Amino acid sequence: AEGAEGDPSAAEESAGAGPDDAREVCVELEILFCGVCHSDLHQARDEWHDFFATVYPCVPGHEIVGRVARAGKGVKKFKPGDRVWGTNQGLLGRQGTFAEFAAVEECWLYPTPAGVSDEAGDACSLVGVTAHLGLFRDAHLKAGESVFVHGGTGGVGAMVTWQPTPTSWSLRGGIAESPRNDLAAIFGADVSGPITRSTSEMALDIV
């Protein structure tokens, strides 16, 4: 998931381009799967106006998995037929993914790994990026540290337990409902169970 936020310099360059220049770096996608988030309602209703003002008419939808139908002359990473995914659409003036086709700037797309189905790629995109950025960009997770996950079977929590990484770290999951304890263990938690004491009393590095 490294670089999951896209190339900032490329994004800034394309954001300042005119309509003709923007098409040069766009990929036309046939949309195969798109996720549905509650944030799509916020966008449609312009409820995030102070942060991400909605530009009408708007097409909601953040996550996307698709197949490249056409590529602009300036597109370097993708060609027709490639499977790609992304999770940065539907905000800041970019149209969303609730459509059959979408034109997306190359800097917001990533190759879908050969061993990942389109369904799984879409389901894991946003929560996977969130988990990865939280662990490595924000918490600066290092080898030997322990991580405690509140709600280890939720969307982001599950992705933390599944997070493939070369870093050796210990995962502990806290689940309030006992039927989900086994599921947390299957996901990869070393220790799971009802939370009976404050995490400040536990030997943890990241919560």
Side-chain angles (χ1 to χ4, degrees), residues 14-178:
S14 60
D20 293 336
D21 295 331
R23 282 194 288 269
E24 294 285 316
V25 295
C26 276
V27 175
E28 182 181 323
L29 295 182
E30 176 190 4
I31 298 176
L32 303 177
F33 291 90
C34 60
V36 180
C37 300
H38 194 272
S39 55
D40 297 320
L41 296 178
H42 293 306
Q43 187 226 353
R45 298 167 179 168
D46 197 22
E47 293 174 344
W48 287 345
H49 181 82
D50 293 340
F51 308 100
F52 302 117
T54 300
V55 177
Y56 294 105
C58 75
V59 178
H62 303 313
E63 299 101 334
I64 186 172
V65 167
R67 184 179 295 110
V68 176
R70 292 190 299 174
K73 294 180 180 179
V75 172
K76 300 177 180 179
K77 296 189 297 183
F78 305 110
K79 64 184 184 303
D82 286 349
R83 298 167 60 235
V84 298
W85 69 276
T87 184
N88 293 285
Q89 302 309 298
L91 71 165
L92 297 176
R94 296 189 293 275
Q95 294 293 358
T97 59
F98 293 176
E100 295 180 6
F101 288 85
V104 181
E105 294 174 39
E106 179 183 28
C107 61
W108 301 114
L109 295 172
Y110 312 92
T112 301
V116 177
S117 69
D118 296 320
E119 299 95 324
D122 188 63
C124 296
S125 60
L126 181 59
V127 289
V129 167
T130 303
H132 181 89
L133 294 180
L135 287 173
F136 297 101
R137 185 193 66 181
D138 299 330
H140 305 291
L141 178 64
K142 297 183 291 294
E145 291 187 325
S146 60
V147 178
F148 184 91
V149 184
H150 286 286
T153 57
V156 176
M159 289 306 300
V160 171
T161 66
W162 283 338
Q163 195 73 215
T165 171
T167 305
S168 176
W169 48 283
S170 174
L171 177 70
R172 307 183 72 180
I175 311 299
E177 301 176 20
S178 56

Side-chain angles (χ1 to χ4, degrees), residues 147-149 151-153 161 171-196 202:
V147 178
F148 184 91
V149 184
T153 57
T161 66
L171 177 70
R172 307 183 72 180
I175 311 299
E177 301 176 20
S178 56
R180 295 190 177 186
N181 291 341
D182 292 340
L183 182 59
I186 292 173
F187 286 170
D190 296 329
V191 180
S192 62
I195 303 171
T196 58
M202 303 167 67

